[in-house]
PDB file of all heavy atoms in Angstrom:
ATOM      1  N   ALA A 210      -2.645  -3.181   6.549  1.00 94.00           N
ATOM      2  CA  ALA A 210      -1.205  -3.567   6.795  1.00 94.00           C
ATOM      3  C   ALA A 210      -1.153  -4.737   7.755  1.00 94.00           C
ATOM      4  O   ALA A 210      -0.366  -5.752   7.494  1.00 94.00           O
ATOM      5  CB  ALA A 210      -0.433  -2.381   7.399  1.00 94.00           C
ATOM      6  N   LEU A 211      -1.948  -4.736   8.796  1.00 96.00           N
ATOM      7  CA  LEU A 211      -1.821  -5.795   9.775  1.00 96.00           C
ATOM      8  C   LEU A 211      -2.467  -7.101   9.254  1.00 96.00           C
ATOM      9  O   LEU A 211      -2.139  -8.208   9.708  1.00 96.00           O
ATOM     10  CB  LEU A 211      -2.585  -5.407  11.084  1.00 96.00           C
ATOM     11  CG  LEU A 211      -1.838  -4.293  11.884  1.00 96.00           C
ATOM     12  CD1 LEU A 211      -2.760  -3.801  13.013  1.00 96.00           C
ATOM     13  CD2 LEU A 211      -0.531  -4.812  12.416  1.00 96.00           C
ATOM     14  N   ARG A 212      -3.360  -6.970   8.232  1.00 94.00           N
ATOM     15  CA  ARG A 212      -3.924  -8.197   7.665  1.00 94.00           C
ATOM     16  C   ARG A 212      -2.962  -8.933   6.787  1.00 94.00           C
ATOM     17  O   ARG A 212      -3.059 -10.136   6.583  1.00 94.00           O
ATOM     18  CB  ARG A 212      -5.207  -7.861   6.959  1.00 94.00           C
ATOM     19  CG  ARG A 212      -6.378  -7.453   7.834  1.00 94.00           C
ATOM     20  CD  ARG A 212      -7.697  -7.465   7.164  1.00 94.00           C
ATOM     21  NE  ARG A 212      -8.744  -7.037   8.079  1.00 94.00           N
ATOM     22  CZ  ARG A 212      -9.294  -7.753   9.028  1.00 94.00           C
ATOM     23  NH1 ARG A 212      -8.919  -9.016   9.153  1.00 94.00           N
ATOM     24  NH2 ARG A 212     -10.255  -7.274   9.778  1.00 94.00           N
ATOM     25  N   VAL A 213      -2.018  -8.236   6.170  1.00 96.00           N
ATOM     26  CA  VAL A 213      -1.018  -8.899   5.300  1.00 96.00           C
ATOM     27  C   VAL A 213       0.268  -9.259   6.068  1.00 96.00           C
ATOM     28  O   VAL A 213       1.037 -10.115   5.568  1.00 96.00           O
ATOM     29  CB  VAL A 213      -0.760  -8.137   4.045  1.00 96.00           C
ATOM     30  CG1 VAL A 213      -1.992  -7.818   3.269  1.00 96.00           C
ATOM     31  CG2 VAL A 213       0.004  -6.823   4.343  1.00 96.00           C
ATOM     32  N   ALA A 214       0.541  -8.540   7.164  1.00 97.00           N
ATOM     33  CA  ALA A 214       1.790  -8.711   7.873  1.00 97.00           C
ATOM     34  C   ALA A 214       1.875  -9.906   8.784  1.00 97.00           C
ATOM     35  O   ALA A 214       0.830 -10.409   9.193  1.00 97.00           O
ATOM     36  CB  ALA A 214       2.102  -7.434   8.645  1.00 97.00           C
ATOM     37  N   HIS A 215       3.087 -10.360   9.059  1.00 97.00           N
ATOM     38  CA  HIS A 215       3.249 -11.381  10.131  1.00 97.00           C
ATOM     39  C   HIS A 215       3.395 -10.711  11.468  1.00 97.00           C
ATOM     40  O   HIS A 215       2.826 -11.276  12.485  1.00 97.00           O
ATOM     41  CB  HIS A 215       4.541 -12.174   9.840  1.00 97.00           C
ATOM     42  CG  HIS A 215       4.469 -12.909   8.496  1.00 97.00           C
ATOM     43  ND1 HIS A 215       4.995 -12.348   7.364  1.00 97.00           N
ATOM     44  CD2 HIS A 215       3.945 -14.091   8.156  1.00 97.00           C
ATOM     45  CE1 HIS A 215       4.777 -13.187   6.342  1.00 97.00           C
ATOM     46  NE2 HIS A 215       4.139 -14.253   6.798  1.00 97.00           N
ATOM     47  N   ARG A 216       4.125  -9.630  11.617  1.00 97.00           N
ATOM     48  CA  ARG A 216       4.282  -8.936  12.850  1.00 97.00           C
ATOM     49  C   ARG A 216       4.205  -7.477  12.602  1.00 97.00           C
ATOM     50  O   ARG A 216       4.391  -6.982  11.507  1.00 97.00           O
ATOM     51  CB  ARG A 216       5.671  -9.239  13.455  1.00 97.00           C
ATOM     52  CG  ARG A 216       5.789 -10.670  13.992  1.00 97.00           C
ATOM     53  CD  ARG A 216       7.096 -10.954  14.736  1.00 97.00           C
ATOM     54  NE  ARG A 216       8.253 -10.602  13.942  1.00 97.00           N
ATOM     55  CZ  ARG A 216       9.074  -9.588  14.125  1.00 97.00           C
ATOM     56  NH1 ARG A 216       8.809  -8.738  15.122  1.00 97.00           N
ATOM     57  NH2 ARG A 216      10.172  -9.374  13.323  1.00 97.00           N
ATOM     58  N   GLY A 217       3.959  -6.713  13.638  1.00 97.00           N
ATOM     59  CA  GLY A 217       3.840  -5.279  13.544  1.00 97.00           C
ATOM     60  C   GLY A 217       4.424  -4.508  14.728  1.00 97.00           C
ATOM     61  O   GLY A 217       4.539  -5.043  15.851  1.00 97.00           O
ATOM     62  N   TYR A 218       4.872  -3.287  14.469  1.00 97.00           N
ATOM     63  CA  TYR A 218       5.349  -2.353  15.470  1.00 97.00           C
ATOM     64  C   TYR A 218       4.555  -1.111  15.390  1.00 97.00           C
ATOM     65  O   TYR A 218       4.317  -0.568  14.342  1.00 97.00           O
ATOM     66  CB  TYR A 218       6.826  -2.076  15.255  1.00 97.00           C
ATOM     67  CG  TYR A 218       7.796  -3.215  15.493  1.00 97.00           C
ATOM     68  CD1 TYR A 218       7.935  -4.157  14.490  1.00 97.00           C
ATOM     69  CD2 TYR A 218       8.526  -3.370  16.709  1.00 97.00           C
ATOM     70  CE1 TYR A 218       8.739  -5.264  14.676  1.00 97.00           C
ATOM     71  CE2 TYR A 218       9.344  -4.453  16.849  1.00 97.00           C
ATOM     72  CZ  TYR A 218       9.494  -5.403  15.897  1.00 97.00           C
ATOM     73  OH  TYR A 218      10.298  -6.480  16.070  1.00 97.00           O
ATOM     74  N   VAL A 219       4.178  -0.541  16.568  1.00 95.00           N
ATOM     75  CA  VAL A 219       3.457   0.716  16.673  1.00 95.00           C
ATOM     76  C   VAL A 219       4.508   1.824  17.034  1.00 95.00           C
ATOM     77  O   VAL A 219       5.180   1.667  18.016  1.00 95.00           O
ATOM     78  CB  VAL A 219       2.361   0.671  17.705  1.00 95.00           C
ATOM     79  CG1 VAL A 219       1.658   2.019  17.802  1.00 95.00           C
ATOM     80  CG2 VAL A 219       1.284  -0.447  17.313  1.00 95.00           C
ATOM     81  N   LEU A 220       4.535   2.834  16.195  1.00 95.00           N
ATOM     82  CA  LEU A 220       5.407   4.057  16.510  1.00 95.00           C
ATOM     83  C   LEU A 220       4.525   5.241  16.949  1.00 95.00           C
ATOM     84  O   LEU A 220       3.501   5.490  16.359  1.00 95.00           O
ATOM     85  CB  LEU A 220       6.145   4.426  15.224  1.00 95.00           C
ATOM     86  CG  LEU A 220       7.609   3.814  15.049  1.00 95.00           C
ATOM     87  CD1 LEU A 220       7.420   2.319  14.865  1.00 95.00           C
ATOM     88  CD2 LEU A 220       8.270   4.430  13.860  1.00 95.00           C
ATOM     89  N   GLU A 221       5.032   5.859  17.964  1.00 94.00           N
ATOM     90  CA  GLU A 221       4.384   7.115  18.469  1.00 94.00           C
ATOM     91  C   GLU A 221       5.504   8.084  18.743  1.00 94.00           C
ATOM     92  O   GLU A 221       6.416   7.813  19.555  1.00 94.00           O
ATOM     93  CB  GLU A 221       3.577   6.832  19.740  1.00 94.00           C
ATOM     94  CG  GLU A 221       2.321   5.999  19.517  1.00 94.00           C
ATOM     95  CD  GLU A 221       1.498   5.798  20.807  1.00 94.00           C
ATOM     96  OE1 GLU A 221       1.833   6.519  21.792  1.00 94.00           O
ATOM     97  OE2 GLU A 221       0.600   4.915  20.809  1.00 94.00           O
ATOM     98  N   THR A 222       5.435   9.215  18.059  1.00 93.00           N
ATOM     99  CA  THR A 222       6.420  10.331  18.232  1.00 93.00           C
ATOM    100  C   THR A 222       7.836   9.823  18.272  1.00 93.00           C
ATOM    101  O   THR A 222       8.606  10.176  19.123  1.00 93.00           O
ATOM    102  CB  THR A 222       6.058  11.172  19.502  1.00 93.00           C
ATOM    103  OG1 THR A 222       6.107  10.359  20.680  1.00 93.00           O
ATOM    104  CG2 THR A 222       4.758  11.858  19.317  1.00 93.00           C
ATOM    105  N   GLY A 223       8.173   8.990  17.330  1.00 95.00           N
ATOM    106  CA  GLY A 223       9.548   8.530  17.210  1.00 95.00           C
ATOM    107  C   GLY A 223       9.984   7.351  18.126  1.00 95.00           C
ATOM    108  O   GLY A 223      11.230   7.091  18.160  1.00 95.00           O
ATOM    109  N   LYS A 224       8.994   6.829  18.795  1.00 95.00           N
ATOM    110  CA  LYS A 224       9.367   5.661  19.666  1.00 95.00           C
ATOM    111  C   LYS A 224       8.524   4.502  19.368  1.00 95.00           C
ATOM    112  O   LYS A 224       7.311   4.588  18.981  1.00 95.00           O
ATOM    113  CB  LYS A 224       9.112   6.024  21.179  1.00 95.00           C
ATOM    114  CG  LYS A 224      10.021   7.183  21.709  1.00 95.00           C
ATOM    115  CD  LYS A 224       9.687   7.438  23.165  1.00 95.00           C
ATOM    116  CE  LYS A 224      10.597   8.574  23.697  1.00 95.00           C
ATOM    117  NZ  LYS A 224      10.283   8.867  25.098  1.00 95.00           N
ATOM    118  N   VAL A 225       9.077   3.260  19.564  1.00 95.00           N
ATOM    119  CA  VAL A 225       8.217   2.039  19.441  1.00 95.00           C
ATOM    120  C   VAL A 225       7.529   1.849  20.758  1.00 95.00           C
ATOM    121  O   VAL A 225       8.174   1.697  21.809  1.00 95.00           O
ATOM    122  CB  VAL A 225       9.091   0.821  19.111  1.00 95.00           C
ATOM    123  CG1 VAL A 225       8.292  -0.455  19.178  1.00 95.00           C
ATOM    124  CG2 VAL A 225       9.744   0.925  17.771  1.00 95.00           C
TER     125      VAL A 225
END
Side-chain angles (χ1 to χ4, degrees):
L211 290 171
R212 290 194 182 282
V213 302
H215 300 95
R216 291 187 302 110
Y218 291 80
V219 178
L220 268 64
E221 293 182 12
T222 59
K224 296 181 180 180
V225 174

